[in-house]
């Protein structure tokens, strides 16, 4: 089994006072793994963190650890750091440009302001290092490979608060939403779903009939929808109304 990982110090300098850890020497490649295994590249800011995570993942049959020279082909990039510092942000930025991999983070201390950074750089899952036993690491990696997100409960709460704040301070004053529909568009389609015609929608929303027609036509054109019934079905399927 291949046991090699990628050293973070190859791509970004560690924090102040850190001595760059030498990359782990690649072991001889073995035959291609059985299907269903998740290929993982580990990026750590020092050799101790790197070795600890590698030793946890190495015995598990679900995992294939990718050698340094093939790290960009991994399904999952696992970044292991003490804190989300500038070096970690630079690495996350680089990994975000690689569309063939999804990124997870194992972190010792999570500062409140780091959540926005993780959202911006596409981190799919977070695990605190103090909770990173073998089973949780494997769960994190396999969840990422399936396209799922994993967050500690308190970070999920902060994320929901962040989204709520975004709605209140940025989107709502502009009549926008996080969905593909504006607040006005969603309201008009909701009224269509309840059986109201153009004139009735205009009366209920205080817009002219022409504006109602234009708004519904814009939605249909933008989302490539055939008619009002199709628009209602689309909105309901995607939880927009």
């Amino acid at each position: 089994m291949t046991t090699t990982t990628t050293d973070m110090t190859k791509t970004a300098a560690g924090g102040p006072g850190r001595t760059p850890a030498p990359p782990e020497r690649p072991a001889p490649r073995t035959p291609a793994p059985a299907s269903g295994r998740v290929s993982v590249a580990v990026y750590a800011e020092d050799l101790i963190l790197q070795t600890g995570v590698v030793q946890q993942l190495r015995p598990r049959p679900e995992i294939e650890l990718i050698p340094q020279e093939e790290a960009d082909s991994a399904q999952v990039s696992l970044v292991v750091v003490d804190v989300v510092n500038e070096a970690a942000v630079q690495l996350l930025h680089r990994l975000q440009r690689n569309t063939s991999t999804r990124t997870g983070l194992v972190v010792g201390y999570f500062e409140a302001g780091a959540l926005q950074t993780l959202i911006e750089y596409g981190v799919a899952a977070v695990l605190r290092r103090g909770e990173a036993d073998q089973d949780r690491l494997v769960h994190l990696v396999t969840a990422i490979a399936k396209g799922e997100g994993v967050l500690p409960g308190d970070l999920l709460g902060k994320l929901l608060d962040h989204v709520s704040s975004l709605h209140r301070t940025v989107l709502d004053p502009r009549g926008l939403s996080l969905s593909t529909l504006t607040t006005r568009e969603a309201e008009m389609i909701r009224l269509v779903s309840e059986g109201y015609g153009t004139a009735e929608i205009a009366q209920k929303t205080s817009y002219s009939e022409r504006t109602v027609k234009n708004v519904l036509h814009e939605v249909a054109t933008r989302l490539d929808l055939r008619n009002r019934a199709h628009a209602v079905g689309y909105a309901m399927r995607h939880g927009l109304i």
Side-chain angles (χ1 to χ4, degrees):
M1 180 186 297
T2 301
T3 61
T4 317
T5 60
T6 299
D7 177 15
M8 180 177 171
T9 58
K10 297 287 288 182
T11 57
R18 293 193 179 278
T19 301
E24 189 180 47
R25 185 179 299 279
R29 294 305 307 275
T30 55
S35 61
R37 296 172 70 189
V38 179
S39 57
V40 182
V42 178
Y43 298 79
E45 63 185 350
D46 62 48
L47 185 57
I48 294 176
L49 294 180
Q50 183 186 36
T51 302
V53 172
V54 168
Q55 293 301 321
Q56 295 273 41
L57 295 177
R58 176 182 287 143
R60 297 296 291 256
E62 308 98 315
I63 305 299
E64 180 201 8
L65 290 169
I66 296 297
Q68 179 180 321
E69 63 272 15
E70 299 177 18
D72 286 345
S73 67
Q75 292 171 265
V76 175
S77 296
L78 193 59
V79 177
V80 189
V81 295
D82 282 326
V83 296
V84 183
N85 56 18
E86 183 59 32
V89 169
Q90 290 176 13
L91 175 60
L92 294 174
H93 188 199
R94 184 179 75 78
L95 293 174
Q96 186 185 34
R97 296 196 294 268
N98 182 2
T99 57
S100 67
T101 185
R102 301 185 78 236
T103 302
L105 178 72
V106 179
V107 62
Y109 173 70
F110 193 89
E111 297 176 333
L115 184 59
Q116 179 67 36
T117 299
L118 301 189
I119 294 171
E120 290 176 358
Y121 292 109
V123 173
V126 178
L127 180 65
R128 285 194 170 87
R129 214 173 71 215
E131 302 172 350
D133 60 21
Q134 187 181 85
D135 287 339
R136 287 191 177 97
L137 280 171
V138 172
H139 171 72
L140 185 82
V141 167
T142 54
I144 294 171
K146 293 175 184 176
E148 300 172 359
V150 179
L151 283 177
D154 62 312
L155 293 188
L156 180 58
K158 290 178 181 178
L159 177 59
L160 294 176
D161 287 343
H162 175 79
V163 173
S164 177
S165 175
L166 181 63
H167 263 292
R168 291 193 309 270
T169 62
V170 178
L171 300 179
D172 287 347
R174 293 168 173 78
L176 302 174
S177 73
L178 288 174
S179 72
T180 53
L181 301 178
T182 67
T183 302
R184 182 174 69 170
E185 290 169 344
E187 174 65 9
M188 289 186 182
I189 291 179
R190 184 185 65 78
L191 291 171
V192 170
S193 74
E194 294 176 0
Y196 292 105
T198 300
E200 294 170 306
I201 295 173
Q203 183 179 14
K204 286 181 174 293
T205 59
S206 300
Y207 290 107
S208 68
E209 292 186 36
R210 180 176 181 179
T211 297
V212 172
K213 291 178 181 178
N214 287 341
V215 168
L216 294 175
H217 177 74
E218 163 62 23
V219 171
T221 301
R222 188 173 73 243
L223 301 179
D224 194 25
L225 304 172
R226 294 185 297 277
N227 49 44
R228 292 188 180 188
H230 193 190
V232 169
Y234 176 93
M236 294 181 70
R237 284 195 305 273
H238 291 82
L240 305 179
I241 61 172

